[in-house]
Amino acid sequence: MVLMYRGKNLHAITYLVTQISIVALLLSGLVPEKVLKIMQASQMVVVLMSKLIQIVENKKNNSTGQLSALTVGLLFAGSVARIFTSVQETGDALVVLTYIVSSLANGILCAQIIYYWNTPAKGKKVYKKDKKQ
């Protein structure tokens, strides 16, 4: 949509056709199951790295900045719930492990939000109200 709004219709159509082609290829059965497992396992690394970047930045800044407590809390609750539903529905150890890793990372983010709750974002000064004389 961003490409469409920027007036780059050809780029948008090319992107859409490419994405549809990739999904069709992956669902067609032509891709070996081993490759699909590797792709699925790489998702865990991507999820973990994205969360670790945020965790490290929060630690460096001694603040969570604009990070939404509600959003992170819902992400944590959702990933914990997905552990149990994945065990019941699929029983696939890789899927369950992905949600365990995601839950741990989201739990760390929740803990950071609680720990840094009243800490101002780095670079922002806290001013006390002047008393009227």
Side-chain angles (χ1 to χ4, degrees):
M1 287 181 79
V2 172
L3 291 171
M4 294 292 278
Y5 284 119
R6 289 186 179 170
K8 298 182 178 182
N9 295 339
L10 182 61
H11 287 84
I13 292 169
T14 304
Y15 178 79
L16 183 62
V17 168
T18 303
Q19 292 299 314
I20 291 171
S21 300
I22 290 170
V23 170
L25 176 66
L26 292 172
L27 295 175
S28 70
L30 296 174
V31 179
E33 190 174 328
K34 186 175 182 179
V35 173
L36 292 175
K37 287 275 187 195
I38 291 170
M39 291 174 71
Q40 185 180 9
S42 68
Q43 174 193 0
M44 187 179 353
V45 175
V46 171
V47 167
L48 185 60
M49 291 308 294
S50 69
K51 300 290 183 185
L52 284 177
I53 290 168
Q54 182 69 54
I55 290 166
V56 169
E57 283 301 311
N58 292 344
K59 177 64 180 145
K60 273 194 226 177
N61 295 330
N62 290 326
S63 169
T64 55
Q66 297 291 322
L67 198 58
S68 168
L70 179 62
T71 302
V72 173
L74 290 172
L75 282 169
F76 177 65
S79 59
V80 168
R82 287 295 294 162
I83 292 170
F84 297 109
T85 58
S86 296
V87 168
Q88 293 297 319
E89 296 290 323
T90 66
D92 184 358
L94 187 57
V95 172
V96 173
L97 185 61
T98 300
Y99 286 116
I100 289 171
V101 168
S102 179
S103 295
L104 289 173
N106 286 325
I108 292 170
L109 284 173
C110 282
Q112 283 185 326
I113 285 177
I114 293 166
Y115 184 76
Y116 296 124
W117 187 259
N118 288 322
T119 305
K122 189 175 182 181
K124 291 189 177 186
K125 296 179 181 178
V126 177
Y127 297 101
K128 293 184 179 179
K129 290 184 179 180
D130 294 331
K131 293 183 180 178
K132 292 185 180 179
Q133 296 178 354

